[in-house]
Amino acid sequence: MKTKYIVIVSLLLCFIVLITSIYYINEKKSDAYELVMEYKTFLEDATEIQLRKSVDSNTCVRFSDEDLIEIWRNFFDSAKFTYIKKIDNTKQNGGQKTIDFISANNIFTFQFFEDNASYIIIDNHLFSVESNAVFPFDETYTIATKRNYTIDLTN
């Protein structure tokens, strides 16, 4: 009788831990997807975008041209973001392209990199990115450079 009671209590505890884990994981994913939605919404109000070829780059381009901002809006509207995991992005440095969406009151920053797939990092949340369109960093960076929007960050 005592063994039966222990088995039932153990199964009940396992069930509670399982349900709690599932809830916690889904809540974190939901929070992460809300971040992507915040960025999409913020981009509608963005007045400028700043692009750095790497996190620690000394130069960047910064533009307010509506045609270039629209390229980013179209990409975010068409891309599919899949949450992968929360990461410690302080250990990542150097090679990640860094994008700042800028409005009159705020700046939203994220990083982009490729490693057999495309990824973005928003507030230490890693997402894979799927889109029929190419990630617009290189295209808009090149156009902004030709329009003389390059900024030296060491000054």
Side-chain angles (χ1 to χ4, degrees):
M1 185 68 164
K2 204 173 198 179
T3 306
K4 195 177 197 180
Y5 176 75
I6 291 172
V7 168
I8 290 173
V9 169
S10 297
L11 286 173
L12 184 59
L13 286 173
C14 288
F15 180 73
I16 290 170
V17 167
L18 177 67
I19 295 300
T20 302
S21 298
I22 290 171
Y23 174 77
Y24 179 75
I25 289 168
N26 285 333
E27 183 178 315
K28 289 295 179 192
K29 283 184 179 180
S30 175
D31 290 347
Y33 285 118
E34 286 178 25
L35 283 173
V36 171
M37 293 310 298
E38 277 183 52
Y39 274 65
K40 284 183 177 184
T41 302
F42 183 81
L43 186 53
E44 291 303 314
D45 296 328
T47 56
E48 290 184 294
I49 296 178
Q50 180 172 287
L51 308 174
R52 286 175 281 161
K53 286 192 174 186
S54 66
V55 173
D56 52 7
S57 179
N58 290 331
T59 60
C60 68
V61 296
R62 188 172 188 161
F63 53 84
S64 58
D65 299 22
E66 190 60 34
D67 62 322
L68 298 181
I69 293 173
E70 192 62 29
I71 292 170
W72 283 91
R73 288 180 183 140
N74 291 338
F75 177 81
F76 264 80
D77 285 343
S78 67
K80 178 184 175 207
F81 300 91
T82 304
Y83 178 73
I84 297 176
K85 64 182 178 178
K86 187 166 174 94
I87 63 170
D88 180 3
N89 199 34
T90 60
K91 295 179 181 174
Q92 309 279 334
N93 57 24
Q96 297 175 347
K97 295 175 179 177
T98 301
I99 299 93
D100 300 317
F101 294 156
I102 304 164
S103 75
N105 302 322
N106 211 344
I107 297 176
F108 279 37
T109 299
F110 67 97
Q111 286 76 39
F112 171 81
F113 69 96
E114 293 177 301
D115 181 27
N116 296 327
S118 298
Y119 300 96
I120 64 168
I121 302 169
I122 300 175
D123 290 343
N124 294 325
H125 295 279
L126 179 65
F127 296 87
S128 66
V129 181
E130 295 176 32
S131 176
N132 292 332
V134 175
F135 190 75
F137 185 96
D138 292 331
E139 175 187 4
T140 54
Y141 193 98
T142 300
I143 294 169
T145 301
K146 288 178 182 175
R147 293 180 185 176
N148 295 317
Y149 296 149
T150 304
I151 298 170
D152 182 353
L153 299 173
T154 59
N155 294 332

